Amino acid sequence: MKYFFLPCVGALIFVAPVLANAQDAKQLTASTSVKLSPPAGLRLGAWLTQNHTALAESMYWPGTMWLNTLEANKQSSDKKQLVNELAKLATGNTDAAPQLDKLTALLSAMPITGRKPLLLQDPWLMQAHSHLEPVISEGDSLVIAGRTDRVRVINADSQSCDVPVKSATWAIDYLRACGMDSEVDTAWLIQPDGQVTRLGVGTWNQHAQEAPAPGAWLWVPPVIASHDLSERIAKIMSTQGLAQGVGPMAPLPSTSANEPKDLAIFANDWGVTGLLQTATARSPSAGHVALTANRVWPYTHTTLAISPFDSLELGFRYTDIANRLYGPDIAGNQSYKDKSSEIKWRMLEETASRPALAVGLRDLGGTGLFAGEYLVASKRWQNLDVSMGLGWGYLGSRGNLGNPLGFLGQRFTTRQNSNVGSGGTAQLSPLFTGRTALFGGVQWQTPIPQLVVKVELDGNNYKNEPSNNDVGGARSPLNWGLAWQNGPLSLTVGYERGKQWMLGFSLSTDLTKLTQSKRSEPAPWPVKRPAQAATLNLQPSVMGSSPSLPPSPAVAGAIEAQTGWPVRDLRQEENTWIVELDNVQGFSLPERIDRGMSVVHEMAPSHVRAVRFVLMQQGVPVSSRLIDRGSWADTRYAWRGQSPSHASVNAPADLTPTAESPNRKPSASMGLGYQQHLGGPDGYLYSLNATTEGQWPLWKGAWVQGTLKARLVDNYEKYHYTAQSDLPRVRTLVREYLTNQRLTLPNAQLNQLNQWGDSVYSLVYAGALESMFAGVGAEVMWRPSGSQFALGADVNKLAQRDFDQRFSLRDYRVNSGHITAYWDTRWKGVEAKLMVGQYLAGDKGATLEVSRRFKNGTRMGAWVTKTNVSSASFGEGSFDKGVFFSIPFDAFLTAWSTQTMSFTWQPLIRDGGARLNKAQTLWNLTNSRDEREWSSEPARFSK
């Protein structure tokens, strides 16, 4: 096959061969472009359709180029910096210097165009979405082109090859047409509209991707170029416009590649990513949560798996052993339930020349019944994903290999039995000891979408099961199965040990991708006034014409409707409007403030230059955000090349309200609640509840609140087991509290919030503080606005409530309180919280909680508590621990919400290390002081 490569030594390949005047071009062709010079101050789409209708009808919309002088200056600076970096990189890498020198020459030859991105290229569609339509500046120009007939490929030696465009043809086909299929695994796709995407095109890293559009570029970077450097170079290339020409083109291959697909990720029998019984080196992306249930006699595994980072996967598991009983001392004929955990860390990422490598530990801190370790590697070849590893302990009980770590000492040749007891104590001495077994397998993506075949070699022969459980061994070391996935649901069926059928299902989601537009709220006000707009000719009933007159109630009502928060006060101070918003909570603060700002901008007179939003709780100022009106409006009145982001800055919050607000209306809400208990002898217990919550403001900082809960559907009639405890029963009487009444009052309390200076807050509360405890308490917190650190302390005098959760009390009394330190690490959203103090059972100790918070407000994390109670006195589990993830209702509801849906996975409910579950905390009430609340993604626009 003949490949048509052209050295890119000049700028000719980056501009259309024919650049006509608008007056001369009646019809655009595949090789022609037209440059227009619209007058300043007009909207681009409107001007084009009204003055050049014929061109607008024949233009290839994705190839439209909006050229701007200021953008050209920025691009010139960026290009000079890149050329210097490439020259420096070539100096230190003699082998790569020839390629880098050619790339430098290529970049140097590219003209500075000043192209700014357009979210919409269709001039008629622009006019229907004015906030996405540019306003022409002085010196702007417009290049429009006809639909081109080619895709341009630039190889690592900076040579150009044009290929005829064909619909539904993938990047790898264009690369093959230019002779670059075997040695290339990464390419940059530059679409006609200037969008830049990194593509995996190798047999090991292909993924679901867009097909190149007519006029697209495919650039293969030199191997030595980093991801960041390559992306910046690709963005410079994206300013060059369509791939057009009249020269020869290399023909496409006679056979087209299959559509690239993502590697399918499935949970194994144990709930972490793998095949059937064995694990692989794969793991889901950060934010993934999965609940998996799997049955292969005599074991039923129920696992919650979370991925706080791309390379880390954690599993928390209950295993029901059908042919083993708890015994008459605990639960009679109930089958035994074991608790265990698993951690898998991918140490090495897969590349073209090496597999991914992961290490895993199972049941490190549990009872040790299924304890084991593994080291596994995975490599992909298109639709095949092959894994191979070594297993120790339960995972390698076949024991057909010696321990490769034996050279480190005699202790590695023989495995010590794990201390099967109350669990909770880390079993470190058996790690990676004893004989091992080889395991591995393959996953094949079938031609049927979402269906894969799994075949594996098991490292366990099932002859040495825990607790001397005779399951009959395995007739075959090979297991096989089919797995099918549709959205969040996965189903797996398999045949294992040569004699047992397996069935499993999994529900999963990616917390980071949860988002929902607020369709149930009033539509956002469009920004119709430019930043330098003159005063509006509003009716006196809407806005007073005199600058000295205060804003009218109509403005406050519109702000309330847009933000969902009551306006406590609205006033003017010099050229600034002050907007006081009360009871500000939730997880969409930037979007809601922007909505309120839209109202202010449209209704305020032109001399108002800034707006200060004071965010309050029950009339107590918590934080303040200042917005420059001109800067805010400039990016929203017209398209400026990128989506506008929230632009408020922190301002002092110690503002005293001008007057007490007479608007103290009670509020109430109704909803559904769900709670579960899993892992005890009684099995899975659940309850679906209806809840009614209410608040009534009293005076500044004071309010009463309450919650009424009714059990709707549950299976608590099966709840018989009350755990033994050597401590005061502060939590292990959970069965009595849950089953006593169908209608309960879990919360009814009075609160008083105060501010002491700009950074110190206090909260005093009294009443039925939670379902099990009533009393009085106080909390104080130092939380500088925008700081990484905060420090708080609380003290509570408590009495245990009666089981009916009404107004009577039991005899138990306790004082509880903690000093709490908060730390925002500012690394990938990780935050830590350390609490030291006295717990509900009178024990003293500390709790460490570590979590990761994602940009949409979802969180996942874990906690561990250790007190002065011995493991024996604590009971099964040895110490308190658990994992959790939380999802703000804002992430999936179409209306504003301040509520959060929390899921907690606690292996056991014990009395040691138990904390008061407060309905109100200063950390939550002052969340608007957290700068992360204001670091939102760019505003989302619908086209």
Side-chain angles (χ1 to χ4, degrees):
M1 180 180 293
K2 183 177 180 181
Y3 309 117
F4 296 91
F5 279 105
L6 297 174
C8 301
V9 295
L12 291 179
I13 68 164
F14 296 99
V15 296
V18 180
L19 190 59
N21 293 321
Q23 292 80 3
D24 301 329
K26 299 300 183 183
Q27 188 73 26
L28 294 169
T29 68
S31 58
T32 58
S33 295
V34 173
K35 187 174 183 178
L36 307 172
S37 298
L42 301 180
R43 288 191 175 268
L44 190 150
W47 175 83
L48 182 59
T49 56
Q50 293 169 16
N51 294 275
H52 298 279
T53 307
L55 290 177
E57 291 175 348
S58 62
M59 65 187 286
Y60 177 50
W61 297 332
T64 303
M65 294 178 65
W66 169 33
L67 310 184
N68 177 266
T69 303
L70 294 178
E71 187 69 17
N73 295 334
K74 179 180 180 300
Q75 290 172 11
S76 178
S77 175
D78 292 344
K79 192 174 83 166
K80 288 179 182 178
Q81 183 177 352
L82 280 173
V83 168
N84 291 335
E85 289 183 31
L86 288 172
K88 184 177 179 180
L89 186 60
T91 301
N93 297 273
T94 55
D95 292 340
Q99 283 189 338
L100 295 174
D101 290 342
K102 293 176 183 177
L103 181 57
T104 301
L106 173 64
L107 284 177
S108 299
M110 293 181 182
I112 301 298
T113 65
R115 183 183 191 182
K116 295 189 73 169
L118 289 169
L119 190 61
L120 296 178
Q121 292 80 34
D122 182 344
W124 282 278
L125 197 55
M126 285 183 190
Q127 297 171 68
H129 302 273
S130 59
H131 60 292
L132 302 180
E133 182 180 20
V135 172
I136 302 163
S137 301
E138 192 68 38
D140 282 4
S141 56
L142 188 67
V143 175
I144 58 178
R147 182 183 180 89
T148 185
D149 59 353
R150 63 192 63 209
V151 167
R152 180 158 295 147
V153 177
I154 301 177
N155 66 10
D157 289 321
S158 299
Q159 294 176 310
S160 171
C161 169
D162 285 1
V163 184
V165 68
K166 183 180 178 181
S167 62
T169 300
W170 307 102
I172 187 62
D173 291 316
Y174 295 105
L175 296 176
R176 288 169 57 198
C178 296
M180 293 183 295
D181 55 347
S182 58
E183 73 276 15
V184 175
D185 51 38
T186 300
W188 288 87
L189 171 63
I190 304 162
Q191 294 284 32
D193 61 359
Q195 295 296 314
V196 172
T197 308
R198 185 175 184 264
L199 302 181
V201 294
T203 58
W204 64 276
N205 68 342
Q206 63 177 241
H207 55 88
Q209 55 195 245
E210 286 185 346
W217 299 68
L218 283 167
W219 173 56
V220 178
V223 176
I224 195 173
S226 66
H227 173 88
D228 176 69
L229 181 62
S230 298
E231 183 176 22
R232 289 159 57 203
I233 294 172
K235 287 182 177 179
I236 291 294
M237 292 183 176
S238 71
T239 66
Q240 300 302 294
L242 289 176
Q244 289 181 301
V246 293
M249 293 185 283
L252 283 165
S254 57
T255 57
S256 300
N258 294 325
E259 179 181 354
K261 296 179 180 178
D262 293 327
L263 177 65
I265 298 292
F266 288 92
N268 64 10
D269 294 4
W270 296 82
V272 297
T273 306
L275 295 172
L276 297 165
Q277 285 289 327
T278 64
T280 66
R282 308 301 181 190
S283 61
S285 59
H288 184 268
V289 174
L291 180 65
T292 301
N294 180 281
R295 169 71 175 172
V296 55
W297 188 89
Y299 306 122
T300 300
H301 305 296
T302 303
T303 307
L304 174 70
I306 64 175
S307 297
F309 302 98
D310 290 339
S311 58
L312 183 65
E313 186 175 14
L314 307 174
F316 304 90
R317 181 181 307 111
Y318 291 111
T319 299
D320 183 285
I321 306 177
N323 61 346
R324 286 291 183 269
L325 303 179
Y326 265 104
D329 293 339
I330 298 180
N333 61 355
Q334 289 288 326
S335 57
Y336 184 79
K337 278 84 175 175
D338 180 66
K339 279 74 66 177
S340 65
S341 61
E342 187 165 342
I343 178 172
K344 182 170 69 174
W345 172 46
R346 189 170 65 247
M347 300 183 295
L348 292 177
E349 299 291 340
E350 183 181 7
T351 67
S353 58
R354 74 164 186 239
L357 185 66
V359 62
L361 307 175
R362 181 181 296 172
D363 208 4
L364 176 64
T367 61
L369 290 181
F370 300 98
E373 305 82 50
Y374 55 89
L375 185 68
V376 60
S378 297
K379 193 77 179 75
R380 181 187 181 189
W381 285 274
Q382 293 183 343
N383 291 329
L384 292 177
D385 192 37
V386 181
S387 298
M388 183 172 292
L390 285 177
W392 287 261
Y394 184 81
L395 301 166
S397 63
R398 188 175 298 278
N400 53 356
L401 294 175
N403 192 338
L405 301 179
F407 72 93
L408 296 177
Q410 183 65 30
R411 64 174 295 268
F412 286 93
T413 61
T414 304
R415 188 175 183 90
Q416 303 176 12
N417 291 329
S418 298
N419 180 22
V420 178
S422 60
T425 302
Q427 306 292 322
L428 301 179
S429 58
L431 293 181
F432 299 100
T433 62
R435 294 185 64 81
T436 65
L438 182 71
F439 69 84
V442 60
Q443 175 179 294
W444 172 55
Q445 174 64 61
T446 70
I448 303 174
Q450 293 100 29
L451 181 67
V452 302
V453 175
K454 298 181 177 184
V455 180
E456 70 175 8
L457 172 68
D458 199 341
N460 190 350
N461 60 8
Y462 300 93
K463 293 181 179 180
N464 300 289
E465 292 298 281
S467 301
N468 298 317
N469 193 358
D470 184 8
V471 300
R475 294 178 183 174
S476 170
L478 295 179
N479 304 325
W480 63 267
L482 298 173
W484 173 80
Q485 187 175 35
N486 186 11
L489 175 65
S490 299
L491 298 176
T492 304
V493 61
Y495 195 66
E496 301 181 5
R497 307 179 212 158
K499 61 179 183 180
Q500 293 291 341
W501 286 100
M502 178 275 297
L503 180 65
F505 77 91
S506 177
L507 289 173
S508 63
T509 190
D510 186 341
L511 298 183
T512 66
K513 296 180 180 179
L514 296 177
T515 183
Q516 183 63 262
S517 61
K518 302 306 177 205
R519 299 187 301 272
S520 299
E521 299 291 341
W525 281 34
V527 179
K528 298 180 180 179
R529 302 173 67 190
Q532 66 277 15
T535 54
L536 288 177
N537 294 320
L538 297 178
Q539 297 297 325
S541 60
V542 177
M543 176 69 66
S545 58
S546 172
S548 62
L549 293 179
S552 76
V555 182
I559 294 175
E560 286 189 6
Q562 284 293 310
T563 64
W565 298 314
V567 176
R568 186 180 179 90
D569 188 35
L570 177 61
R571 63 187 184 274
Q572 181 175 321
E573 295 181 0
E574 297 180 349
N575 63 350
T576 300
W577 270 15
I578 309 297
V579 183
E580 292 184 355
L581 299 169
D582 208 1
N583 298 334
V584 175
Q585 285 184 288
F587 295 89
S588 299
L589 303 187
E591 182 180 354
R592 296 169 80 167
I593 291 295
D594 279 337
R595 283 177 170 239
M597 186 64 196
S598 297
V599 174
V600 173
H601 176 66
E602 291 301 311
M603 301 187 75
S606 61
H607 67 269
V608 174
R609 301 301 183 189
V611 181
R612 186 191 299 271
F613 289 92
V614 182
L615 312 183
M616 317 178 83
Q617 292 292 345
Q618 302 296 336
V620 177
V622 173
S623 65
S624 181
R625 308 297 297 189
L626 183 65
I627 298 179
D628 179 80
R629 183 182 183 185
S631 300
W632 181 91
D634 183 67
T635 59
R636 289 164 175 80
Y637 174 69
W639 180 252
R640 302 298 183 189
Q642 62 181 10
S643 297
S645 58
H646 184 73
S648 71
V649 296
N650 182 46
D654 54 345
L655 299 176
T656 303
T658 56
E660 279 291 316
S661 172
N663 185 17
R664 299 195 188 101
K665 297 179 180 179
S667 61
S669 63
M670 300 183 65
L672 294 177
Y674 180 80
Q675 61 187 113
Q676 63 181 18
H677 295 271
L678 180 63
D682 296 313
Y684 180 68
L685 302 169
Y686 66 88
S687 174
L688 180 65
N689 311 305
T691 60
T692 299
E693 298 180 352
Q695 285 191 3
W696 196 323
L698 301 176
W699 53 83
K700 179 182 176 181
W703 75 101
V704 292
Q705 66 179 70
T707 302
L708 195 65
K709 183 167 70 174
R711 288 162 47 197
L712 299 179
V713 180
D714 60 55
N715 64 345
Y716 284 165
E717 71 277 359
K718 299 180 180 179
Y719 204 164
H720 304 295
Y721 176 66
T722 298
Q724 297 181 352
S725 179
D726 294 334
L727 297 173
R729 289 186 174 275
V730 295
R731 290 300 186 211
T732 51
L733 294 175
V734 59
R735 177 182 67 86
E736 287 77 0
Y737 281 97
L738 291 177
T739 60
N740 189 275
Q741 297 289 332
R742 283 203 166 269
L743 183 65
T744 59
L745 184 69
N747 174 246
Q749 67 183 72
L750 169 67
N751 307 286
Q752 174 66 60
L753 176 68
N754 288 99
Q755 178 192 25
W756 310 94
D758 182 54
S759 301
V760 179
Y761 292 83
S762 66
L763 179 67
V764 180
Y765 43 87
L769 304 180
E770 53 143 281
S771 59
M772 297 185 185
F773 282 90
V776 297
E779 181 183 2
V780 63
M781 175 177 285
W782 170 76
R783 189 177 189 179
S785 186
S787 174
Q788 286 182 258
F789 306 98
L791 186 65
D794 70 293
V795 60
N796 307 279
K797 187 174 184 62
L798 305 171
Q800 193 170 38
R801 298 179 66 186
D802 209 345
F803 299 143
D804 61 6
Q805 299 178 55
R806 303 287 170 83
F807 300 103
S808 56
L809 301 174
R810 292 167 56 83
D811 294 335
Y812 182 70
R813 303 290 188 274
V814 67
N815 295 326
S816 176
H818 294 82
I819 297 175
T820 305
Y822 304 84
W823 177 33
D824 170 16
T825 67
R826 298 190 176 171
W827 177 75
K828 295 187 176 182
V830 175
E831 59 186 45
K833 182 167 63 173
L834 178 63
M835 292 165 278
V836 180
Q838 180 164 294
Y839 296 83
L840 292 178
D843 49 334
K844 299 178 178 65
T847 298
L848 177 63
E849 178 181 299
V850 180
S851 62
R852 182 179 184 185
R853 171 181 167 149
F854 300 99
K855 290 185 178 180
N856 61 353
T858 57
R859 295 175 64 224
M860 59 173 56
W863 83 86
V864 59
T865 298
K866 187 63 178 175
T867 70
N868 58 351
V869 173
S870 67
S871 297
S873 298
F874 183 92
E876 185 179 356
S878 300
F879 57 89
D880 187 55
K881 52 194 171 293
V883 297
F884 64 90
F885 63 91
S886 62
I887 307 171
F889 278 64
D890 261 358
F892 56 86
L893 293 182
T894 60
W896 305 123
S897 175
T898 62
Q899 302 299 313
T900 297
M901 180 169 56
S902 298
F903 296 86
T904 300
W905 190 277
Q906 195 171 7
L908 290 165
I909 297 176
R910 307 298 299 169
D911 296 312
R915 289 169 281 158
L916 181 68
N917 295 324
K918 294 191 292 184
Q920 299 288 353
T921 66
L922 285 176
W923 180 258
N924 291 334
L925 290 172
T926 61
N927 75 313
S928 64
R929 299 179 70 83
D930 190 341
E931 200 61 31
R932 291 174 300 176
E933 297 287 350
W934 306 97
S935 301
S936 64
E937 296 284 0
R940 298 183 301 273
F941 291 116
S942 58
K943 295 183 180 180

